[in-house]
């Protein structure tokens, strides 16, 4: 009996050794049974003093972004003279920017003050979906605003009948619906990849590039599909916007008076500035496959279009638009004196 017991112990020992060797040779297979249910966002790894400085900087930027875009929305809402398609689209755009920046910045601010920056699997993909859906909606709104300026300048006689307030509202609703529908496919494809560790995302948000890199198996098909999807979306809307403004510039150059040309260019200049800021950064980020972008470049470029652009938009639109500046001054007078009065010229 003792000999049999000893033989059994030796057999068990050898069996465990073989299992350990197999796990060391193929660690991925060992992790397949333990799928990732939480991700760690590295954010901006630096000293505690720098973390506090960044927290303060982004907090001020976030608050100013909310205030600036809310001022535009309230000005358009209160001033009857701004109840036109151009300003209705601008108010929708400002409302979108508020939620666009809110989808990432509060979580980023919380991570500055915490030691372990974790986000659940479902929370990560919800952030991924809402952030990129609102970014897609922004491209559609910029296209709609370009169409509005084209009709106003190149087809002034037909503009009142073609771009009515009701049609403008329908266009705005279509931008929202299409924006939140288009990005369902990339989110679904990436969410179906096997994630078995590691679970650290070298970013401050759940971005498709770092997520694809965390997959247990190579996913070239998903990466190429996402790159093609992003390229088609970005270049189609960008081509539409540039084509519209090419026709606008040609029409403006034919205006005989210098004052008329200046007014037309000032109206379109703010929109072109926003288009340049937004499209310049997202083309660097999402047109090329994700493997070509280092993590540091990804973070900087993402900060540019996700935080800086929404912050600058209210200043760009208000500083270059006389009617908007006039409406903002009236709104400030109402807030200052604490009473609501009819906004008149």
């Amino acid at each position: 009996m003792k000999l049999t017991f000893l033989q059994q112990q030796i057999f068990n020992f050898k069996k465990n050794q073989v299992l350990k060797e197999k796990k060391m040779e193929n660690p991925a297979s060992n992790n397949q049974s333990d799928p990732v249910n939480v991700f760690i966002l590295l954010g901006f790894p630096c000293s505690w003093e720098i973390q506090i400085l960044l927290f303060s900087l982004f907090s001020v930027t976030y608050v100013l972004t909310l205030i600036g875009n809310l001022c535009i929305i309230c000005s358009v809402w209160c001033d009857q003279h701004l109840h036109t398609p151009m300003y209705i689209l601008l108010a929708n755009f400002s409302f979108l920017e508020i939620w666009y920046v809110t989808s990432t910045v509060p979580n980023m601010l919380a991570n500055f003050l915490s030691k372990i920056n974790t986000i659940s699997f479902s929370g990560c993909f919800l952030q991924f979906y809402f952030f990129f859906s609102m970014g897609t909606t922004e491209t559609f709104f910029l296209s709609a605003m370009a169409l509005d300026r084209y009709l106003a300048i190149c087809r002034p006689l037909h503009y009142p009948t073609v771009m009515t307030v009701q049609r403008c509202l329908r266009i705005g609703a279509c931008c929202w619906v299409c924006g939140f529908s288009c990005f369902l496919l990339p989110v679904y494809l990436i969410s179906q990849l096997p994630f078995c560790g590691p679970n650290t995302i070298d970013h401050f948000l759940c971005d498709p590039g770092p997520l694809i890199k965390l997959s247990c198996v190579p996913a070239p098909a998903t990466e190429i599909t996402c790159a093609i999807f992003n390229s088609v979306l970005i270049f189609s809307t960008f081509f539409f916007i540039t084509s519209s403004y090419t026709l606008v510039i040609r029409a403006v150059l034919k205006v005989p008076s210098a004052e008329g040309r200046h007014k037309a260019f000032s109206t379109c200049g703010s929109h072109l500035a926003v288009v340049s800021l937004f499209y310049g950064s997202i083309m660097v980020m999402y047109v090329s496959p994700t493997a070509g972008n280092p993590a540091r470049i990804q973070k900087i470029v993402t900060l540019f279009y996700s935080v800086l652009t929404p912050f600058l938009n209210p200043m760009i639109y208000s500083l270059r638009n006389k009617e908007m500046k006039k409406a903002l001054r009236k709104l400030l007078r109402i807030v200052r004196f604490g009473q609501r009065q009819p906004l008149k010229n």
Side-chain angles (χ1 to χ4, degrees), residues 41-43 201-207 210 285 295 298-299 302:
L41 295 172
L42 279 185
I201 301 175
D202 192 5
H203 214 303
F204 62 87
L205 56 83
C206 291
D207 191 82
M285 190 70 187
Q298 287 185 0
K299 294 178 188 179
T302 305

Side-chain angles (χ1 to χ4, degrees), residues 246-280:
T246 300
L247 296 174
V248 166
I249 292 171
R250 287 177 58 186
V252 169
L253 292 176
K254 295 178 182 178
V255 175
S257 65
E259 184 180 353
R261 289 196 298 270
H262 176 72
K263 184 178 179 180
F265 275 126
S266 70
T267 303
C268 301
S270 56
H271 188 211
L272 283 172
V274 172
V275 168
S276 301
L277 286 170
F278 183 72
Y279 275 91

Side-chain angles (χ1 to χ4, degrees), residues 12 61 64-65 94 128 138 140 143 202 232 237 313 325 332:
N12 289 336
T61 303
L64 292 177
T65 301
S94 295
F128 174 23
E138 184 162 340
F140 291 139
S143 302
D202 192 5
V232 171
T237 52
N313 284 349
K325 284 191 286 188
L332 289 174

Side-chain angles (χ1 to χ4, degrees), residues 15 22 29 38 50 64 77 81 99 112 120 133-134 138 170 181 225 234 239 246 256 266-267 288 290 328 336-337:
K15 181 180 177 182
K22 286 184 177 181
S29 63
V38 66
I50 301 298
L64 292 177
W77 179 271
H81 297 92
W99 290 107
F112 280 128
S120 66
S133 292
M134 284 184 279
E138 184 162 340
R170 287 197 293 269
S181 301
T225 301
I234 292 169
F239 178 75
T246 300
S266 70
T267 303
S288 60
T290 55
L328 286 171
R336 182 179 178 182
F337 293 109

Side-chain angles (χ1 to χ4, degrees), residues 90-156:
L90 177 58
N92 270 272
F93 189 75
S94 295
F95 181 74
L96 170 66
E97 292 289 69
I98 289 173
W99 290 107
Y100 184 53
V101 73
T102 301
S103 65
T104 56
V105 173
N107 183 68
M108 180 174 65
L109 294 176
N111 288 340
F112 280 128
L113 303 179
S114 62
K115 292 183 179 180
I116 302 176
N117 310 329
T118 59
I119 185 170
S120 66
F121 185 91
S122 58
C124 182
F125 278 92
L126 278 174
Q127 184 192 63
F128 174 23
Y129 170 69
F130 282 107
F131 177 70
F132 285 94
S133 292
M134 284 184 279
T136 304
T137 306
E138 184 162 340
T139 64
F140 291 139
F141 266 110
L142 290 172
S143 302
M145 294 163 79
L147 174 64
D148 176 73
R149 291 302 84 206
Y150 163 77
L151 292 173
I153 294 174
C154 299
R155 298 288 186 269

Side-chain angles (χ1 to χ4, degrees), residues 209-210 213 223 227 284-298:
K213 290 178 182 178
E223 186 171 352
V284 171
M285 190 70 187
Y286 297 111
V287 171
S288 60
T290 55
N293 297 323
R296 184 179 299 178
I297 300 298
Q298 287 185 0

